[in-house]
Amino acid sequence: MTNTNRQTLLGSLPTSFDKGPDWLRALRGRAAETLREHGLPTKRTEAWRFTPVRSVVDAEFSREEEGVPSLASPLPDGVTARSLRDVLRSEPELLDGRLDLGGAPTHFAALNTALFDDGLWIDVPAGNVVEAPIELALAITKSAGRGVVYSRVLVTVGDDAELTLVETYAGEEGGQLTNSVVEVDLGCNAKMSHVRVHENAGFQVGRVDVRQAADSAYRSTVVTLGGALLRFDVRCLLQGKGAECQLDGAYLIDGDDHVDHHTVVEHQASHCRSEQTYRGIASGKGTAVFDGIVIVHRGAQKTEAHQENRNLLLSDMATIHTKPHLEIDADDVICSHGATVGSLDQDQLFYLRTRGIPEPLANAMLTYAFLESIVDRVIHEPTRARMREALLTRIPHAEDIRGVT
Amino acid sequence: MSASTEQIDDILKKGYDAGFVTDIEEEYAPPGLSEEIVRFISKKKQEPEWLLEWRLKAYRRWLEMKEPTWAKVTYPKIDFQDICYYAAPKTNENAPKSLDEVDPELLATYEKLGIPLHEREVLAGVAVDAVFDSVSVATTFRDKLAEVGVIFMPFSEAVQEHPELVKRYLGSVVPVSDNFYAALNSAVFSDGSFVYIPKGVRCPMELSTYFRINAAKTGQFERTLIIADEGSYVSYLEGCTAPMRDENQLHAAVVELVTHEGAQIKYSTVQNWYPGDENGKGGILNFVTKRGLCEGARSKISWTQVETGSAITWKYPSCILKGDDSVGEFYSVALSNHRQQADTGTKMIHLGKNTKSTIISKGISAGHGQQTYRGGVKISRGATNARNYTQCDSLLIGDKCGAHTVPYVDVRNSSSKLEHEATTSRIGEDQLFYCRQRGLSEEDAVSLIVNGFAKQVLKELPMEFAVEAQKLLGVSLEGAVG
């Protein structure tokens, strides 16, 4: 299945697109043009300053065919999951305007837009409340050569509908490069809870783009447990009045890991609310980056936006970069952000030690508790338990901690 | 409770008191920038060869550099060949030796601005170096300062009288190639202040510089260098004004501070350059590089700024905390009204052990004003037990202004501790209501709230500056609330 013809990412762009409906060919053409003009990001690109993408941009890859995440749970009633390739063949008009990432795909998302071959479209029709989560998994396999996978998912949730989506990206060290794009369209008063777990995700550039109609609510929880090079962007466009989003994230890195989480929340309508809470722990020689932007557009009055990023730096060889960032062009707003970087609280450690808990265990407990508070925000209980377990496998003295909690 | 747009507009159209032009004979260099101009300025100042070489090196670097575009400000393209790089009041052959020799027109100008230039105003207790366009016109209290060994003089004189100090420190904190505007300044700087505080001396009075741009179509490029030797202390104040003109004028200054072991510099600025009219016409383009180096252990540099003027402010007073246990502070109130744009903040670079920094930034936007806090805190691997606390708050007045916060945090040492917090909101209606209910007029209530908002910074200012700053804030914001 693997194409052994290896090329750089930009080199793999075709000169013309001749398959699929007109709008798709035009969309791919535009994305390719943007890429040819501006190239892939470098260290001089502000939003990519800390992401060492050069190793990816300069490398040669062979294209892997399988890029479609598989359904890891039975499909609940009322939900359809269709192959993007099939829909593009049979009813392409259904997808027109839904794969353009809000108008201007750039960098790796543009690459994905130009090159994705297949993907998944999950649709929850209006009024359908789905209790059980839909689970998607993409296994990142170690390829003989260096492979690249383009993964594409579209989720549409109709008016008043509800959905829980759990995505797992797991793999082996030194695996292929995954370029994943997930687009979410939420109708009026729709609700979606979106959990995404990166377990040793190897090389990955991921992007989630959410468009929200009035009164919709989107909750995202991202848990990243290591990654040779992980760059993950979430962008929420609050387009309808009264829409809400809550973006939570936890990252735990070690060794030579580099994980990079970016968020963009755009308040385009009034009376919207957003909240972001990201927590991270860096040890070993790892580097963790958080970069979050809240943009409040002119006229988006009565906005409430909060942003928080807390980090623990547990080794002198590790590095933390954080850049919470506000751009506000309306006046009737309540906005705040905060960021901290520090080590474990000595008072808390002392307290645990006075209770007879040995220092290594006390350290592990506090480390775990720091990130567990993010995992705890996942509403769906079985998913929450699974994520706790995934987190515990990365923490020393897991047995003892299980006994305590 | 909201005031009508007209009301707001009325109040925002407040006058700019310092906007008069002084009719005085001035000597200009022809507009444009070239090696000849750099040589001309250097010759005019009778500078030694090494300084000319230094300037030329900066000029050549500048030619290769690009104008920075990362700040969130927009302004008409600056034509660097259309600016006069040197303008000086015509005086008798030599610079004035005492106040009697200073042109009375000039003294009247400073009188109007309320600067205690004349020594009889001893009560003010401030030693002043006044810089008019490109040259320093008078420095007061020099003798008294000399008694304790403090050197406070125009930069051009320091080059002649203390070349060894100037040569040693010039460019040691802000190298010529640091950034586009610093390189430009290094090539064409005309004058500024030079301060040296010897070992163990606590400067007996506050030192002050007053900058005034007068001539049309000129740029002002001053350079300030302050050195505090071991265990010394100095408090330095800086103020700025300019006439109202329709075209933009460029101001690109460089300030370098060095503190040795146990020394302290407190640097306060009230910047009130002409901000342009309510449609954004004219005004000063203020591109300033200010940086302090805490060279010795236990030294401290504290920046306090009140930025109410300029059409464009591009300014990031920073501290390099190199000595162990050194301390950096940055307190700022920036106000942008009408079409003013301010992109300002600080950088704290922690290199030494147990270094501490505090950043308190208060931004106020009104009218169509745009305000950006841009800050960086960097804790390097060796900065064990470093500590930073950052707080930046923005206050919005009116629905057409903007406030942005862009902090960069970079930590590489696990024993360090760092906190950053920021809030953005408008004046609370409940706060206003409370004040009104107690019988305060809406204008007084707003003034009270704004001053309260900025108090944490204003209290860091020396007395006479604090009064001026409060007045400035009050005048520009009375009642401007929706």
Side-chain angles (χ1 to χ4, degrees):
Chain A
M1 287 291 268
T2 304
N3 181 349
T4 45
N5 187 7
R6 294 177 60 169
Q7 287 175 304
T8 59
L9 294 173
L10 280 180
S12 64
L13 280 175
T15 42
S16 65
F17 297 92
D18 45 16
K19 278 201 292 189
D22 290 349
W23 61 263
L24 182 64
R25 293 209 304 268
L27 176 67
R28 290 186 162 177
R30 279 202 306 278
E33 203 175 314
T34 310
L35 281 168
R36 283 200 197 93
E37 200 173 316
H38 303 288
L40 285 167
T42 66
K43 286 219 155 217
R44 301 187 66 86
T45 314
E46 172 66 17
W48 292 79
R49 252 159 46 107
F50 300 117
T51 321
V53 275
R54 210 174 144 182
S55 58
V56 171
V57 173
D58 290 348
E60 293 190 332
F61 294 91
S62 55
R63 176 83 188 258
E64 308 269 333
E65 294 294 339
E66 303 92 342
V68 187
S70 54
L71 277 170
S73 63
L75 206 58
D77 287 345
V79 181
T80 57
R82 305 170 67 182
S83 140
L84 279 179
R85 184 158 40 186
D86 291 351
V87 182
L88 285 169
R89 260 190 217 134
S90 55
E91 300 163 276
E93 66 283 356
L94 292 179
L95 298 174
D96 192 1
R98 293 188 135 163
L99 295 171
D100 65 352
L101 290 141
T106 52
H107 304 315
F108 289 95
L111 200 62
N112 185 301
T113 303
L115 295 173
F116 79 88
D117 189 41
D118 195 3
L120 205 57
W121 176 26
I122 295 171
D123 179 54
V124 187
N128 224 322
V129 175
V130 182
E131 302 267 337
I134 295 178
E135 292 181 29
L136 294 183
L138 186 67
I140 293 153
T141 50
K142 197 168 188 159
S143 50
R146 208 168 172 202
V148 56
V149 164
Y150 295 97
S151 156
R152 188 94 183 186
V153 175
L154 171 67
V155 180
T156 48
V157 184
D159 296 352
D160 305 304
E162 284 181 30
L163 169 73
T164 299
L165 178 71
V166 181
E167 287 184 276
T168 311
Y169 293 77
E172 306 159 39
E173 292 282 348
Q176 67 213 2
L177 170 69
T178 311
N179 179 333
S180 85
V181 171
V182 177
E183 278 182 273
V184 176
D185 255 320
L186 296 186
C188 292
N189 202 33
K191 285 190 178 60
M192 175 165 165
S193 173
H194 187 178
V195 175
R196 180 156 167 146
V197 185
H198 302 119
E199 270 186 276
N200 232 345
F203 289 89
Q204 175 162 179
V205 254
R207 163 102 177 252
V208 172
D209 230 66
V210 186
R211 295 181 285 270
Q212 293 187 245
D215 300 312
S216 61
Y218 173 75
R219 282 177 82 108
S220 146
T221 309
V222 179
V223 176
T224 299
L225 303 168
L229 171 59
L230 176 98
R231 162 72 186 234
F232 182 61
D233 289 46
V234 185
R235 187 166 79 129
C236 279
L237 305 180
L238 301 168
Q239 296 173 325
K241 195 173 163 183
E244 275 186 32
C245 73
Q246 180 182 323
L247 309 180
D248 298 328
Y251 42 93
L252 176 65
I253 59 158
D254 202 348
D256 289 318
D257 292 347
H258 179 105
V259 305
D260 203 325
H261 290 85
H262 285 232
T263 62
V264 177
V265 175
E266 287 198 40
H267 285 258
Q268 297 176 342
S270 65
H271 294 82
C272 291
R273 201 177 174 285
S274 69
E275 196 183 319
Q276 303 175 45
T277 314
Y278 270 74
R279 288 188 168 203
I281 297 179
S283 54
K285 291 186 197 159
T287 303
V289 181
F290 172 79
D291 184 326
I293 310 180
V294 174
I295 301 171
V296 179
H297 289 250
R298 181 135 297 157
Q301 299 290 26
K302 305 282 176 197
T303 285
E304 193 176 337
H306 302 285
Q307 196 181 36
E308 186 191 281
N309 175 231
R310 290 175 176 273
N311 296 282
L312 290 181
L313 185 58
L314 299 183
S315 138
D316 280 345
M317 299 306 285
T319 306
I320 299 230
H321 301 280
T322 168
K323 183 186 166 201
H325 176 168
L326 299 171
E327 270 183 41
I328 296 165
D329 282 312
D331 69 325
D332 193 357
V333 301
I334 300 172
C335 297
S336 71
H337 69 199
T340 61
V341 182
S343 46
L344 293 172
D345 188 324
Q346 292 304 311
D347 291 344
Q348 293 174 358
L349 265 181
F350 178 75
Y351 176 87
L352 291 175
R353 300 221 40 212
T354 60
R355 294 296 183 273
I357 295 169
E359 194 172 342
L361 178 57
N363 274 327
M365 283 169 75
L366 289 175
T367 309
Y368 172 70
F370 185 75
L371 295 182
E372 197 209 17
S373 62
I374 296 291
V375 173
D376 269 351
R377 296 162 77 119
V378 173
I379 299 169
H380 189 253
E381 165 56 29
T383 308
R384 192 165 64 224
R386 232 181 59 205
M387 287 167 77
R388 276 206 195 109
E389 201 43 48
L391 183 56
L392 273 172
T393 58
R394 293 294 185 119
I395 302 238
H397 308 285
E399 276 314 307
D400 296 321
I401 294 174
R402 270 191 209 99
V404 180
T405 50
Chain B
M1 149 150 290
S2 55
S4 73
T5 331
E6 276 169 41
Q7 256 175 296
I8 294 175
D9 287 350
D10 271 359
I11 289 145
L12 293 186
K13 273 184 207 146
K14 58 114 190 173
Y16 178 71
D17 291 339
F20 54 87
V21 180
T22 307
D23 196 7
I24 197 168
E25 246 193 297
E26 297 216 44
E27 189 180 13
Y28 294 92
L33 184 53
S34 61
E35 281 206 20
E36 281 67 58
I37 291 290
V38 176
R39 285 178 199 280
F40 169 84
I41 295 169
S42 186
K43 200 173 165 204
K44 206 77 198 156
K45 301 268 166 199
Q46 296 162 15
E47 282 172 358
E49 190 60 29
W50 66 266
L51 190 52
L52 174 64
E53 278 309 312
W54 192 80
R55 283 175 182 274
L56 289 172
K57 195 175 115 202
Y59 173 69
R60 286 171 201 139
R61 278 311 300 268
W62 179 76
L63 287 176
E64 296 162 10
M65 292 169 104
K66 282 205 185 90
E67 220 176 314
T69 52
W70 43 262
K72 204 177 165 64
V73 291
T74 49
Y75 50 91
K77 200 161 168 43
I78 301 171
D79 181 356
F80 290 94
Q81 296 305 334
D82 195 36
I83 297 172
C84 274
Y85 288 87
Y86 184 81
K90 249 188 196 156
T91 49
N92 310 331
E93 224 26 60
N94 297 313
K97 296 227 166 40
S98 77
L99 282 173
D100 302 334
E101 287 179 34
V102 174
D103 191 321
E105 269 294 309
L106 207 55
L107 286 181
T109 302
Y110 287 107
E111 201 81 34
K112 264 196 226 173
L113 293 167
I115 304 156
L117 186 67
H118 217 277
E119 288 195 42
R120 66 169 180 233
E121 293 181 55
V122 179
L123 283 176
V126 179
V128 178
D129 181 19
V131 178
F132 194 84
D133 285 329
S134 298
V135 295
S136 184
V137 290
T139 305
T140 59
F141 287 108
R142 266 167 80 168
D143 299 343
K144 199 168 166 200
L145 289 169
E147 272 172 36
V148 287
V150 171
I151 304 169
F152 178 41
M153 56 172 59
F155 204 94
S156 49
E157 281 178 42
V159 171
Q160 309 296 339
E161 290 177 33
H162 303 281
E164 72 299 338
L165 283 175
V166 175
K167 199 170 174 178
R168 179 168 162 205
Y169 289 104
L170 181 67
S172 66
V173 187
V174 180
V176 290
S177 54
D178 190 76
N179 67 66
F180 183 81
Y181 295 102
L184 177 65
N185 174 290
S186 303
V188 302
F189 76 88
S190 39
D191 217 331
S193 298
F194 177 83
V195 178
Y196 174 80
I197 316 289
K199 275 183 196 173
V201 170
R202 189 180 169 91
C203 189
M205 61 184 74
E206 263 152 356
L207 304 182
S208 167
T209 302
Y210 221 94
F211 295 107
R212 167 95 185 146
I213 296 178
N214 189 57
K217 288 210 160 184
T218 56
Q220 177 149 323
F221 306 92
E222 83 270 2
R223 188 137 192 141
T224 301
L225 177 55
I226 302 177
I227 302 132
D229 218 327
E230 287 170 26
S232 64
Y233 170 87
V234 63
S235 166
Y236 184 89
L237 325 173
E238 173 196 71
C240 338
T241 59
M244 293 162 84
R245 289 188 199 285
D246 280 350
E247 74 271 16
N248 294 116
Q249 281 182 287
L250 178 66
H251 173 248
V254 172
V255 176
E256 295 178 281
L257 312 183
V258 180
T259 49
H260 289 285
E261 196 175 323
Q264 240 191 79
I265 297 177
K266 182 175 169 63
Y267 194 105
S268 315
T269 307
V270 171
Q271 185 261 105
N272 187 27
W273 294 117
Y274 177 53
D277 67 8
E278 63 271 25
N279 299 316
K281 198 157 196 227
I284 300 290
L285 307 180
N286 192 26
F287 295 90
V288 175
T289 307
K290 292 185 169 181
R291 194 174 304 150
L293 172 65
C294 285
E295 167 81 55
R298 297 178 309 284
S299 61
K300 177 176 171 182
I301 287 176
S302 171
W303 298 99
T304 308
Q305 60 173 23
V306 176
E307 303 278 320
T308 58
S310 293
I312 305 287
T313 300
W314 182 98
K315 182 178 170 189
Y316 314 92
S318 308
C319 295
I320 301 170
L321 304 169
K322 188 175 166 198
D324 291 350
D325 302 285
S326 58
V327 178
E329 291 175 344
F330 174 76
Y331 298 95
S332 166
V333 174
L335 182 145
S336 36
N337 201 348
H338 302 316
R339 304 267 170 183
Q340 277 177 273
Q341 304 168 55
D343 195 305
T344 182
T346 183
K347 250 189 196 172
M348 293 291 174
I349 299 163
H350 291 255
L351 302 175
K353 293 185 178 64
N354 306 315
T355 45
K356 287 190 181 62
S357 62
T358 305
I359 300 171
I360 308 282
S361 165
K362 305 277 178 178
I364 302 155
S365 307
H368 288 86
Q370 289 289 328
Q371 178 87 232
T372 305
Y373 167 82
R374 191 181 299 277
V377 178
K378 197 167 182 166
I379 294 177
S380 56
R381 295 246 183 269
T384 309
N385 282 326
R387 182 83 175 84
N388 164 267
Y389 175 76
T390 303
Q391 187 188 342
C392 33
D393 297 328
S394 307
L395 194 63
L396 296 154
I397 302 175
D399 59 1
K400 293 185 184 65
C401 55
H404 319 292
T405 316
V406 193
Y408 291 77
V409 172
D410 235 344
V411 187
R412 292 165 198 268
N413 184 295
S414 64
S415 60
S416 56
K417 212 168 158 188
L418 183 142
E419 292 162 276
H420 169 97
E421 55 185 10
T423 62
T424 304
S425 58
R426 65 173 183 173
I427 292 183
E429 293 199 358
D430 45 346
Q431 292 173 343
L432 270 180
F433 179 73
Y434 179 86
C435 294
R436 301 283 321 266
Q437 191 211 35
R438 291 290 183 277
L440 292 181
S441 71
E442 184 157 316
E443 292 186 358
D444 287 345
V446 171
S447 177
L448 183 77
I449 293 166
V450 167
N451 269 297
F453 175 74
K455 192 177 172 187
Q456 236 181 322
V457 174
L458 296 180
K459 76 177 171 50
E460 297 295 325
L461 283 172
M463 250 283 277
E464 48 293 292
F465 259 37
V467 175
E468 188 182 339
Q470 269 176 12
K471 207 180 83 191
L472 274 174
L473 285 181
V475 169
S476 17
L477 284 169
E478 277 170 350
V481 70

